[in-house]
Amino acid sequence: MEHEETEMAALAARFVNSTARHVFLTGKAGTGKTTFLHNLARSTHKRYAILAPTGIAALNAKGVTIHSQFLLPFGTYIPERTLPNDIPAYGNFHDRDTLTKRHPLNSIRRNVLRGLDLLIIDEVSMLRADLLDAIDHRMRSVRGVYDRSFGGVQVLLIGDLYQLPPVVKDNEWQVLRKYYASAHFFEAKVIKEAGYAHIELDKIFRQQDGDFIDILNNLRNNTVSTNDVEVLNSYYKPNIPQSEQEGVITLTTHNRTADELNQRALSALPGMAHSFEAAVCDQFPESMYPVLVDLQLKVGAQIMFIRNDPEKKYFNGKLSKVKAIDTDGVHVEMFESGEPYTLKKELWENKRYVVDGTSKEQKEEILGTFEQYPVKLAWAITVHKSQGLTFDKAIIDVGSAFAPGQVYVALSRLRSLNGLILRTRISPSVVSTDRDVMAFSERMHTQQPLPVQLKEQQRQYLQAVLSSTYDLGDIQKKVGFVQKDHTEVGEFEDETMRSALVRLSEKLNAEEANTLKFQYQLLRLLHEDDSDGLLERIEKGSAYYGAMLKLSMKELLQHIAQVEQVSRSKSYSEDLHEIDTLLVSKFTMINKAEYVTRCILNGEEIKRKPDLENSIRDQRTSLTAEVGEWAKENRPKVTTKSGKKRERGEGKSARAPRERKGKAVKGETYLKTYELIKAGKDIASIAAERSLTESTIESHVAKGIAEGEVEIGMLMDEPTRNTIADYITGNPEIGSSEVFGHFAGRYSYGKLRMVQAWLRVREKG
């Protein structure tokens, strides 16, 4: 369900897009927090990553898990350099040193974290304080910025603290209590030191019943009155007629109870159970399974959809009943409307963020997929798993509530009191809210008014943008480290290869005095409120530094191209690519500086500018293509495979390195698929011959199209290709799942990727 943008949502977007202030965005159930997240992801000009504490939460947020992005070990983080003597080493407790030395980040994750402007963490009520401090340590370390929280990256924390609390075992808490007043994220040392803007979405979209909203607010605030309890208990029905349970879900507190209710109801139905197996491809861990791998259904089964349909046929939490199961599929009837519908399988993607080696743009890489009907048995569900769902009617069974906020979460799933049926009476003793959460929420009223904060933080952000955009110090520092770490560069036979980094270093050093002077000029004009003069200087400075950086990128890419033509230089090449990433990032910042400055000075919202992004991308693409052609004509002048001077004993009679046996050739599996395609076989027959799924073969085809190894016309007719291509090009900002939904599953994700690859090749050509 799409929600209108409220004043507070717009204010939150301004904080994210035009300041560097950390933000805690909260709001009661049904105020549109998830909608805000997805809208922000589409519109922000900042490079971001979306994280969540659990796999299911990450799928719902369209992001990745905290542990997978930061490669954090499971256990407890102690915010110390080394563990105190009374805590055993090599156990479930980790310190800063053990994270760095025993659990290092790989280059893929380092590159992503170094390029971020914004870190978004959803479902923050489940985030523990020690985990947030561990994230802070990782960010400072990987970015080399130790004096700023999260290494200088802005953090947006989203969630309702009155819902699911963090989980801490007793033995963990006995240690953590020495460092934190509670396990909640707001007790993290980094948040206490850095501060944040506390923004609460205040318009409730789920409920329109004023009396019900008042009761829910009282539940949150631990101010439930005798009258509130009496009103709720007036909906108590100890013996609920079967007719009233039709099309109604039961919310209970324990998994065991929900599972028993579902299995008992399914077994009571006549007829045979039909089994539907999920297709799990590549890397998709069990902890992320959105529904059962083996889904058992019968005619008459009550089921619930667990995601939103792009075609609006159903939404997350909508109930239906199985009417028939035949060779054409599973046919259901929606409760309330009675509308018939035939289930379609949906695809969930386990992904990670990566930085493209050529364009240096951040993108999502699919690690694995899970394909299944997007439904689960729905006679009962736990309160925990109901979070985020909306029901018109529900049976609430929370007499055994054991965690703060469970009663509130259960009741807030309903649109109104008219849909409430209580299986057990609500006792005031189980209506509780975490007192630490209440105390924290009260602090919101002691912060500076948000508009005042926004104006002050925008000014600080603009000053930081003007200072950092034209500061080349981070690139100079990286070049110096690479020179120090790779003294073997002096052994290259080719003089241009030996001197490439020296020339880059000299060029950057020569600009140091100019950049300092230019930064001073910009800050002076800002202080004097000379907007016209400031924008004019930025325009001229951006043209000068943009040209200088573009030339530096070209020369570095030429050096990389030559280095990668000789052996034993992988580590050096990787470090050169990191310098290249910094150059591209700086080039992007310089190209955006005038737009960002103009928006802040004029009080306008800063949004994505696709035309600017496309311009930067086109310049980079053109540059890499130019260097690629240059490299063909300018091979390094070397006489050895390594490109370095011969060592003693090396020569014609020197023993050649022994060739490894039995190791698969890199990319061999793709080459086999390409050969079968060129032999005239279709995807289905190739999949059968190679004992692979069709989706895997389709991914091979997409890669082959992108690399120029496969012609799309060999496997897809022109009308189909054009139908998909026209929709994709006409909607450049939507993702694969939206395209899949538009065509109602008519074309597989693999076929969509084939067309996307074809479009990219066509654009380059």
Side-chain angles (χ1 to χ4, degrees):
M1 181 189 301
E2 288 297 319
H3 298 147
E4 63 187 70
E5 185 176 54
T6 65
E7 182 181 348
M8 295 307 289
L11 185 62
R14 296 285 290 277
F15 263 95
V16 171
N17 286 317
S18 61
T19 82
R21 182 73 159 164
H22 302 317
V23 175
F24 169 50
L25 181 76
T26 188
K28 302 178 180 71
T31 50
K33 296 183 291 297
T34 299
T35 299
F36 174 87
L37 168 58
H38 293 159
N39 288 342
L40 179 73
R42 284 193 293 268
S43 64
T44 184
H45 67 100
K46 295 184 176 182
R47 182 180 280 194
Y48 66 86
I50 300 173
L51 309 175
T54 68
I56 298 300
L59 282 178
N60 292 337
K62 300 181 181 178
V64 302
T65 65
I66 290 170
H67 283 83
S68 67
Q69 180 60 54
F70 288 99
L71 292 183
L72 295 172
F74 287 98
T76 303
Y77 174 74
I78 304 299
E80 301 269 15
R81 181 164 296 284
T82 57
L83 292 177
N85 293 330
D86 58 341
I87 299 177
Y90 303 102
N92 288 326
F93 293 92
H94 311 282
D95 54 40
R96 291 201 290 269
D97 281 353
T98 54
L99 279 189
T100 303
K101 296 173 183 176
R102 296 185 201 145
H103 305 280
L105 286 169
N106 58 28
S107 60
I108 291 175
R109 287 164 176 81
R110 284 200 309 271
N111 288 337
V112 168
L113 297 177
R114 283 172 179 159
L116 290 180
D117 304 305
L118 173 65
L119 195 63
I120 303 171
I121 304 180
D122 196 24
E123 297 292 5
V124 75
S125 68
M126 294 186 281
L127 179 66
R128 284 173 24 173
D130 62 312
L131 188 56
L132 190 56
D133 278 334
I135 292 171
D136 173 53
H137 168 64
R138 277 285 205 228
M139 293 298 292
R140 294 189 199 221
S141 298
V142 75
R143 295 170 66 86
V145 179
Y146 295 94
D147 60 344
R148 297 172 62 191
S149 59
F150 302 101
V153 170
Q154 183 183 28
V155 175
L156 168 63
L157 303 156
I158 303 177
D160 182 1
L161 294 178
Y162 290 86
Q163 299 193 28
L164 298 178
V167 177
V168 189
K169 297 176 183 175
D170 289 341
N171 67 312
E172 293 175 321
W173 183 239
Q174 291 307 311
V175 176
L176 284 178
R177 65 190 302 177
K178 300 173 185 177
Y179 300 93
Y180 304 106
S182 80
H184 293 289
F185 86 89
F186 50 78
E187 294 295 347
K189 295 182 181 298
V190 61
I191 283 295
K192 285 177 170 289
E193 292 168 4
Y196 55 90
H198 188 145
I199 303 176
E200 182 170 350
L201 300 181
D202 51 5
K203 180 175 175 58
I204 297 174
F205 294 94
R206 182 175 293 144
Q207 292 95 17
Q208 304 299 322
D209 180 339
D211 292 337
F212 189 30
I213 290 173
D214 288 342
I215 292 174
L216 291 176
N217 287 339
N218 291 342
L219 282 168
R220 281 173 66 92
N221 301 329
N222 264 359
T223 57
V224 178
S225 67
T226 303
N227 183 63
D228 292 334
V229 175
E230 288 177 356
V231 170
L232 291 173
N233 284 331
S234 68
Y235 293 89
Y236 168 60
K237 288 187 178 180
N239 299 307
I240 306 168
Q242 191 61 41
S243 60
E244 290 190 33
Q245 297 185 45
E246 182 79 5
V248 181
I249 194 167
T250 295
L251 272 64
T252 186
T253 52
H254 291 74
N255 277 310
R256 183 182 64 256
T257 306
D259 291 342
E260 287 175 356
L261 286 171
N262 284 324
Q263 289 306 315
R264 194 185 310 146
L266 184 68
S267 299
L269 291 174
M272 180 181 69
H274 296 259
S275 178
F276 301 93
E277 193 79 16
V280 184
C281 183
D282 299 325
Q283 300 176 43
F284 205 104
E286 273 190 58
S287 61
M288 292 184 69
Y289 287 178
V291 291
L292 292 174
V293 173
D294 182 17
L295 177 65
Q296 300 283 326
L297 294 178
K298 284 184 178 181
V299 173
Q302 184 167 296
I303 60 174
M304 176 181 71
F305 290 91
I306 56 95
R307 68 186 297 176
N308 296 323
D309 177 33
E311 298 295 311
K312 312 296 184 185
K313 296 292 185 181
Y314 56 81
F315 57 82
N316 192 6
K318 188 173 183 64
L319 298 178
S320 65
K321 184 175 183 178
V322 177
K323 301 298 288 184
I325 301 174
D326 55 31
T327 54
D328 293 328
V330 180
H331 309 281
V332 303
E333 182 181 275
M334 303 296 183
F335 283 114
E336 305 294 335
S337 68
E339 185 179 352
Y341 181 74
T342 301
L343 296 185
K344 296 184 179 71
K345 289 194 173 183
E346 292 285 347
L347 195 76
W348 288 264
E349 298 174 336
N350 176 30
K351 64 187 182 184
R352 68 178 175 186
Y353 294 108
V354 297
V355 175
D356 184 85
T358 302
S359 69
K360 303 303 177 185
E361 291 184 305
Q362 182 175 296
K363 61 182 184 179
E364 296 172 358
E365 180 182 284
I366 308 304
L367 299 176
T369 57
F370 181 100
E371 191 173 20
Q372 177 62 292
Y373 290 124
V375 298
K376 59 173 59 175
L377 296 177
W379 285 282
I381 189 174
T382 62
V383 174
H384 185 112
K385 292 177 181 176
S386 75
Q387 190 158 326
L389 303 181
T390 300
F391 302 114
D392 291 316
K393 198 170 187 180
I395 298 168
I396 307 292
D397 182 8
V398 289
S400 301
F402 58 89
Q406 276 193 318
V407 174
Y408 168 73
V409 173
L411 291 172
S412 62
R413 301 308 94 201
L414 287 165
R415 294 186 189 278
S416 73
L417 280 170
N418 291 333
L420 174 62
I421 302 172
L422 288 182
R423 190 186 294 277
T424 51
R425 289 185 183 276
I426 291 179
S427 167
S429 63
V430 301
V431 177
S432 64
T433 298
D434 191 313
R435 295 189 180 278
D436 292 320
V437 169
M438 291 184 63
F440 168 74
S441 298
E442 283 301 310
R443 294 178 212 161
M444 180 181 72
H445 304 297
T446 64
Q447 68 179 344
Q448 269 190 314
L450 289 171
V452 175
Q453 282 193 61
L454 178 63
K455 186 174 181 180
E456 180 182 311
Q457 292 293 325
Q458 283 180 325
R459 188 82 173 180
Q460 291 182 20
Y461 178 64
L462 185 51
Q463 288 177 345
V465 167
L466 297 178
S467 296
S468 62
T469 297
Y470 305 95
D471 180 4
L472 306 177
D474 54 342
I475 307 175
Q476 287 174 284
K477 188 186 299 184
K478 181 62 181 178
V479 171
F481 285 148
V482 175
Q483 287 177 304
K484 183 178 178 181
D485 292 343
H486 296 281
T487 54
E488 76 276 9
V489 170
E491 299 173 11
F492 279 128
E493 292 181 273
D494 191 313
E495 191 281 329
T496 60
M497 293 177 69
R498 290 198 303 273
S499 62
L501 271 195
V502 174
R503 295 195 303 272
L504 177 58
S505 180
E506 289 174 348
K507 180 184 292 188
L508 294 172
N509 290 338
E511 293 293 340
E512 192 168 355
N514 287 337
T515 56
L516 286 172
K517 182 179 177 182
F518 187 63
Q519 289 170 48
Y520 173 76
Q521 290 176 347
L522 296 180
L523 293 174
R524 177 177 56 78
L525 290 168
L526 177 65
H527 181 71
E528 294 172 354
D529 290 325
D530 185 355
S531 299
D532 292 338
L534 177 61
L535 291 169
E536 183 182 347
R537 289 300 296 151
I538 291 174
E539 184 178 1
K540 291 180 178 177
S542 295
Y544 172 79
Y545 285 106
M548 187 272 287
L549 286 170
K550 194 170 180 180
L551 180 58
S552 297
M553 275 192 284
K554 179 179 178 180
E555 292 172 348
L556 182 63
L557 286 172
Q558 289 174 341
H559 181 46
I560 291 172
Q562 291 197 318
V563 168
E564 291 182 344
Q565 292 183 60
V566 298
S567 63
R568 303 182 195 172
S569 296
K570 183 179 179 182
S571 175
Y572 179 52
S573 174
E574 288 176 351
D575 280 345
L576 292 178
H577 276 289
E578 289 189 10
I579 297 173
D580 183 40
T581 299
L582 291 174
L583 287 171
V584 175
S585 176
K586 188 65 66 175
F587 183 72
T588 302
M589 289 172 65
I590 283 172
N591 277 272
K592 286 173 57 177
E594 184 187 358
Y595 168 65
V596 170
T597 302
R598 189 182 299 277
C599 286
I600 293 178
L601 291 177
N602 295 337
E604 299 169 357
E605 188 174 355
I606 309 173
K607 291 189 174 182
R608 281 186 63 193
K609 281 184 69 70
D611 55 338
L612 180 58
E613 293 172 3
N614 291 336
S615 172
I616 295 170
R617 185 184 303 115
D618 291 345
Q619 290 182 68
R620 177 70 181 182
T621 301
S622 175
L623 192 60
T624 52
E626 183 183 339
V627 171
E629 292 301 314
W630 175 91
K632 294 176 184 177
E633 306 296 327
N634 293 270
R635 294 188 62 81
K637 299 171 183 176
V638 298
T639 59
T640 64
K641 288 184 178 180
S642 66
K644 296 166 188 169
K645 300 165 188 174
R646 288 185 191 277
E647 298 178 4
R648 185 178 298 175
E650 195 175 349
K652 289 183 180 178
S653 61
R655 193 171 186 177
R658 187 178 299 170
E659 191 173 318
R660 291 185 185 179
K661 294 182 179 179
K663 186 175 181 181
V665 177
K666 185 177 181 181
E668 184 178 13
T669 186
Y670 298 104
L671 295 176
K672 288 180 179 176
T673 297
Y674 302 161
E675 289 172 4
L676 293 171
I677 292 170
K678 290 170 184 175
K681 298 193 174 184
D682 60 19
I683 288 172
S685 59
I686 295 171
E689 182 172 334
R690 300 203 57 200
S691 299
L692 297 172
T693 64
E694 290 190 23
S695 61
T696 298
I697 300 301
E698 286 174 343
S699 71
H700 291 182
V701 174
K703 182 179 177 68
I705 292 169
E707 294 177 345
E709 295 287 340
V710 176
E711 290 290 337
I712 193 170
M714 301 170 75
L715 295 158
M716 184 181 293
D717 61 80
E718 190 172 329
T720 298
R721 183 200 69 192
N722 291 342
T723 297
I724 299 171
D726 289 347
Y727 185 73
I728 291 174
T729 53
N731 300 273
E733 294 186 10
I734 67 174
S736 298
S737 58
E738 286 89 348
V739 178
F740 183 84
H742 171 75
F743 290 112
R746 194 158 71 249
Y747 307 118
S748 67
Y749 279 85
K751 286 186 171 60
L752 300 183
R753 293 192 190 103
M754 287 162 59
V755 176
Q756 288 170 333
W758 176 75
L759 286 170
R760 284 195 294 270
V761 170
R762 191 178 67 170
E763 287 172 9
K764 290 178 182 178

